[in-house]
Every structure is written in structure tokens, then in C-alpha cells.
Amino acid sequence: MKPRIAIPVPTSTDLAYNQRSWPQYAAAVERSGGDPVEIPLNETPKAIADLINTCQAVLLPGSPADVNPQKYGQEPIPECSPADNARENVDELLIQDAHNLYKPIFAICFGLQFLNVWRGGTLVQDLSILPVNHAAGRSVAIAHNAAIAPDSLLGSFLDPSEAPQQDEFLRLPINSSHHQAIGIPGDGLRVAARCPQDGVIEGVEGGQASEGATSHFVLGVQWHPERSYDLSPSSRALFDRFVEQAATWTPRPIHTSVA
């Protein structure tokens, strides 16, 4: 059977955004061998939990919202978009379940930012003062490059023809479209990719097994591989590896600490 991948509806406030974005994540999962499962934002916590229990992995998608800054000890600045409490509540249920049972997690853009905050990290509320336009991917195929550590999990399955090594890092063209980014990485998350021009964090990973511990596949990127699935072998590889992990997942003991 195909592994069931939980994907929350991106936003509770913008139906048009959901209609054009959720199907892209679902199609990428499907083409990599998974069964996308839509997680609604307007059901009871019990109904959502029952649906989550039928899934083997979690994909946290992007959103036009920004994470509530009060969750990482800051007040919102004028450039910060309104929070989406319904989406955040569902993401919290999804992450807690995945964390407890070691279900694979693949987090994209907003999803990565919320995962980082859930793990105790912080965000930079606005990047517009920086020289690189990190939001350019909304209108162009490539916003900038990401410098990716070759010895990282992320670096291990990028296509070498698309991400050649330069100055000790793999350089992958990415279609980022975000105006916020990770400030301080959350517990157990380590930086795997940065923008080489300004150092903005573009990818993290976590959950590799320490001695005597069970490994947990956790990967997050600030760009949108679901949009470039047809054009980018590295984008396809991201989804392929995630779905492979979901296919081999089996229930394991609940975490006792963040890996």
C-alpha cells in the first residue's frame, strides 16, 4: 500500500490560495509514490487526531500567514503578516504526533518556520532589508542559490549535475518565496543550507540517531520543490526520499527528548 502523507490545508483565510497550492504538494507526493491526505483546519481536535492516526508521515506546506511572533517571545512588526491560529493548531497536532511516533517530517517554507518555533527556535520577521530578494520565487523560476553542506542529509541526495560543488558547498538554484526565515534554530535542528550572499538559513535537518537512540527523518527547506518537481531532479529527489521514509515507517516508542 502507498504510504499516507498528512498535508494540512495551507490556510484558513484564503480559499484561492488553497486551491492553487495544496494540489501541487499532493501531486508531488503522489508522483513519488505516496497517498496525499488532506487535513482540514475546521474540524474538532479529535476528528483531526483520528485522521492523523491513519497517516505514516507529515508534510507541512507553505502559507501566506506568518507564525505568531509571541510564540517565540517577540511582538509583531508592521511587516509581519497576520497569524493563522487554525493552521498553527493543526500543525501543532501533526508535529506532536510525528515527534511522538518518529513519523517522517518534511517541512516547506511556513511549515519549516512553524516547526522551528515549535522546537523552541526563533524567526527573523522580515528579510526585505537584505540584498537578496528571498521572495523572488513568486515571480521567477530561480530566486538565488543555496549553499548546502555536502555531508548533510539534504546534500546526500541532490543531483550533482544540478547542484555542483563550489568552495566546499553544493550550490543549488532554488525558487524561494519567503520574507521570514529561521533566526535561532530550534532544539535538535541543524543548519544544512544557507543563502551564500547573506547567510539566511534555507534548510535544516534533525533527528539523526545519537548513540542508543532511534533516528527520525526530519527535513525542512525554505524553497518550494513542489513547484519545480517537473523541472528539477533535486526537487523530485526530496519528495522521493521523504515518501521512501514514509513507506518504511513503523510505530516506535514515544520520544523522551527532542532528537
Side-chain angles (χ1 to χ4, degrees):
M1 293 179 61
K2 293 181 178 180
R4 287 168 58 85
I5 311 297
I7 312 175
V9 173
T11 170
S12 66
T13 61
D14 190 337
L15 178 60
Y17 183 94
N18 293 336
Q19 289 175 334
R20 68 175 180 267
S21 64
W22 194 91
Q24 290 183 304
Y25 298 102
V29 163
E30 214 163 31
R31 293 173 66 183
S32 287
D35 181 13
V37 177
E38 182 177 299
I39 307 298
L41 306 183
N42 56 358
E43 294 287 347
T44 65
K46 182 183 184 308
I48 293 171
D50 288 344
L51 188 53
I52 292 171
N53 286 339
T54 71
C55 298
Q56 288 76 52
V58 171
L59 191 159
L60 301 174
S63 169
D66 285 332
V67 179
N68 183 352
Q70 294 180 338
K71 290 190 173 179
Y72 50 94
Q74 297 180 19
E75 292 299 319
I77 63 174
E79 294 81 5
C80 187
S81 299
D84 186 340
N85 292 331
R87 169 68 195 274
E88 292 189 15
N89 290 340
V90 168
D91 275 20
E92 191 162 341
L93 291 172
L94 286 161
I95 296 171
Q96 186 67 62
D97 175 77
H99 174 71
N100 287 346
L101 298 175
Y102 294 88
K103 291 180 181 179
I105 298 174
F106 184 23
I108 295 172
C109 203
F110 172 93
L112 167 58
Q113 293 164 9
F114 189 83
L115 173 65
N116 187 67
V117 171
W118 187 86
R119 286 203 176 205
T122 67
L123 302 179
V124 178
Q125 290 193 50
D126 189 61
L127 303 173
S128 61
I129 62 171
L130 298 178
V132 176
N133 183 358
H134 289 272
R138 296 187 181 103
S139 55
V140 299
I142 298 172
H144 57 85
N145 286 339
I148 299 170
D151 60 350
S152 64
L153 172 66
L154 177 60
S156 70
F157 51 81
L158 297 181
D159 188 287
S161 66
E162 187 180 21
Q165 187 159 338
Q166 178 184 342
D167 299 329
E168 300 182 1
F169 291 94
L170 305 176
R171 299 300 179 104
L172 178 69
I174 60 173
N175 58 350
S176 70
S177 59
H178 60 105
H179 85 108
Q180 296 194 336
I182 290 175
I184 299 172
D187 292 342
L189 296 177
R190 55 188 177 277
V191 177
R194 290 183 183 270
C195 174
Q197 290 93 339
D198 55 23
V200 167
I201 295 172
E202 296 287 350
V204 300
E205 56 194 46
Q208 295 297 304
S210 57
E211 188 173 350
T214 304
S215 64
H216 185 193
F217 181 92
V218 179
L219 182 65
V221 297
Q222 277 291 175
W223 64 92
H224 286 270
E226 80 284 357
R227 299 177 186 172
S228 53
Y229 191 98
D230 285 332
L231 303 174
S232 164
S234 294
S235 293
R236 293 191 292 274
L238 286 170
F239 281 95
D240 289 348
R241 180 66 68 90
F242 170 58
V243 173
E244 285 171 9
Q245 291 289 318
T248 59
W249 175 82
T250 55
R252 283 176 268 181
I254 291 177
H255 272 297
T256 56
S257 63
V258 174

